[in-house]
């Protein structure tokens, strides 16, 4: 998922040739419909900052892995940032954003649904990872040949016809270190592991957990991600703040929410990798536990 969305120059969000948003793209999102969404976000930030206090915008930090998207964002925000006198910065990850002594408002709008996840299935002998494999025949199809020297072109041939997806889901024959340890991440996941029946599927986004922990640090806790515990003896190193997460999901885990969008329609997740939007529902209960481990909740 991460490769298809953010691989340099060829990922869905990193390829400038992909029309992502709007009528020409693959989906329409809240801020494009009207300015009401932005106004609601602004009112939320002002209310969280004691409502009537004067506000001076010091810095706008955007977490964006795509150079193509960064160029669009800069075009939209450059004049505004210059006019109000605030800094405009970009970061590859949320954990790389510096804590501030000013009130910090974080808006994660359709951010977590695009983060990669593990798909697991419960079997008689434990949880197994559902992985991705090629549907091509490694013997008959010359596109998968590896016997030629590096740099030597393959002889002319006509690849076998292949009208369906190039990839498929396969179940790992045994449990692996990830499927055995991921449930130690939070009590929420451990409870799910014990209660779901044999054959059930479960989507677990470890990336979402640690990004939620990083978000929590920015608005009040000084601990690093590898400590993940609360120490009330140490005062916060930030000026406090709030976070607003707007995304698809619920206060529970999901097992079959992974989907792809192309031309405003849901398509197979293996349809044109790098040219379709991929998304999975957000487990807000997991995010809350990640932020609670940092003392935010």
């Amino acid at each position: 998922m991460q490769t298809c969305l953010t691989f340099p120059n060829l990922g869905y969000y990193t390829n400038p040739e992909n029309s992502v948003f709007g009528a020409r793209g693959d989906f329409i999102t809240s801020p494009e419909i009207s300015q009401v969404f932005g106004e609601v976000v602004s009112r939320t930030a002002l209310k969280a900052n004691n409502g009537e206090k004067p506000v001076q915008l010091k810095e706008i930090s955007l977490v964006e892995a795509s150079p193509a998207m960064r160029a669009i964002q800069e075009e939209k925000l450059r004049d505004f940032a210059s006019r109000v006198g605030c800094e405009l910065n970009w970061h590859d990850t949320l954990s790389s954003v510096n804590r501030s002594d000013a009130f910090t408002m974080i808006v994660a709008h359709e951010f977590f649904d695009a983060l990669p996840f593990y798909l697991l299935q419960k079997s008689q002998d434990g949880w197994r990872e559902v992985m991705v494999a090629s549907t091509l025949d490694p013997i008959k199809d010359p596109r998968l040949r590896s016997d030629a020297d590096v740099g030597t072109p393959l002889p002319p041939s006509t690849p076998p016809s292949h009208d369906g997806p190039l990839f498929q889901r396969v179940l790992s024959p045994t449990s692996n270190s990830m499927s055995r340890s991921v449930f130690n991440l939070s009590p929420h996941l451990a409870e799910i592991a014990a209660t779901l029946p044999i054959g059930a599927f479960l989507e677990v986004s470890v990336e979402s957990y640690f990004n939620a922990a990083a978000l929590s640090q920015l608005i009040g806790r000084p601990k690093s991600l590898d400590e993940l515990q609360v120490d009330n003896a140490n005062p916060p190193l930030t000026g406090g703040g709030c976070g607003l997460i707007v995304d698809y999901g619920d206060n529970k885990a999901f097992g079959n929410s992974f989907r792809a969008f192309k031309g405003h329609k849901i398509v197979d997740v293996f349809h044109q990798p790098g040219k379709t939007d991929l998304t999975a529902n957000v487990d807000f209960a997991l995010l809350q536990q990640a932020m609670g481990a940092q003392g935010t909740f």
Side-chain angles (χ1 to χ4, degrees):
M1 183 177 179
Q2 188 170 23
T3 299
C4 291
L5 293 179
T6 60
F7 190 85
N9 300 320
L10 297 176
Y12 179 69
Y13 289 113
T14 55
N15 188 341
E17 296 182 3
N18 291 335
S19 297
V20 175
F21 306 109
R24 295 184 179 180
D26 299 309
F27 59 87
I28 294 176
T29 189
S30 304
E32 297 178 274
I33 297 174
S34 77
Q35 68 182 32
V36 172
F37 180 83
E39 292 175 358
V40 170
V41 171
S42 298
R43 288 180 62 87
T44 301
L46 290 173
K47 185 176 180 180
N49 191 27
N50 296 326
E52 302 300 325
K53 281 178 126 182
V55 174
Q56 179 182 1
L57 193 59
K58 294 181 62 176
E59 179 181 356
I60 299 176
S61 294
L62 298 101
V63 178
E64 179 58 70
S66 166
M69 291 295 175
R70 288 188 181 193
I72 295 174
Q73 293 161 0
E74 182 177 14
E75 181 182 356
K76 297 287 186 181
L77 295 172
R78 181 178 56 243
D79 291 344
F80 169 78
S82 176
R83 187 167 65 252
V84 300
C86 74
E87 296 183 25
L88 191 58
N89 298 311
W90 279 265
H91 302 267
D92 292 327
T93 63
L94 190 58
S95 59
S96 67
V97 179
N98 295 323
R99 292 190 294 269
S100 171
D101 58 359
F103 183 88
T104 299
M105 168 67 176
I106 297 178
V107 180
H109 178 247
E110 295 185 25
F111 171 79
F112 285 95
D113 74 292
L115 296 180
F117 65 92
Y118 292 103
L119 179 61
L120 307 172
Q121 185 178 29
K122 193 172 186 178
S123 66
Q124 292 286 355
D125 58 351
W127 287 89
R128 300 184 188 181
E129 185 177 0
V130 179
M131 311 180 86
V132 177
S134 173
T135 59
L136 303 178
D137 189 323
I139 298 178
K140 297 179 180 180
D141 198 307
R143 286 173 287 185
L144 295 183
R145 280 186 55 186
S146 60
D147 55 347
D149 293 334
V150 176
T152 304
L154 294 173
S157 62
T158 302
S161 61
H162 195 286
D163 298 328
L166 297 177
F167 301 98
Q168 61 182 330
R169 294 181 177 93
V170 295
L171 185 63
S172 173
T174 61
S175 63
N176 55 28
S177 59
M178 187 283 303
S179 62
R180 290 190 298 268
S181 64
V182 70
F183 297 101
N184 297 326
L185 201 61
S186 79
H188 167 65
L189 294 178
E191 180 180 355
I192 292 173
T195 57
L196 285 178
I198 302 297
F201 289 93
L202 179 64
E203 298 165 344
V204 179
S205 177
V206 177
E207 288 278 340
S208 292
Y209 182 91
F210 284 104
N211 272 278
L215 184 154
S216 178
Q217 287 188 328
L218 289 173
I219 58 177
R221 296 306 303 178
K223 309 298 283 186
S224 60
L225 287 181
D226 58 353
E227 293 179 80
L228 290 179
Q229 50 186 290
V230 178
D231 183 358
N232 292 325
N234 293 326
L237 298 181
T238 77
C242 67
L244 178 63
I245 301 174
V246 182
D247 227 318
Y248 307 96
D250 202 343
N251 199 42
K252 65 177 185 179
F254 295 86
N256 188 32
S257 72
F258 187 36
R259 56 204 182 276
F261 286 89
K262 184 67 177 176
H264 300 274
K265 296 179 180 179
I266 293 180
V267 297
D268 188 277
V269 294
F270 297 127
H271 176 72
Q272 296 185 335
K275 295 184 180 297
T276 58
D277 179 43
L278 301 175
T279 177
N281 285 357
V282 177
D283 180 354
F284 281 93
L286 182 64
L287 302 190
Q288 289 178 23
Q289 288 200 346
M291 289 184 276
Q294 297 295 300
T296 302
F297 277 83

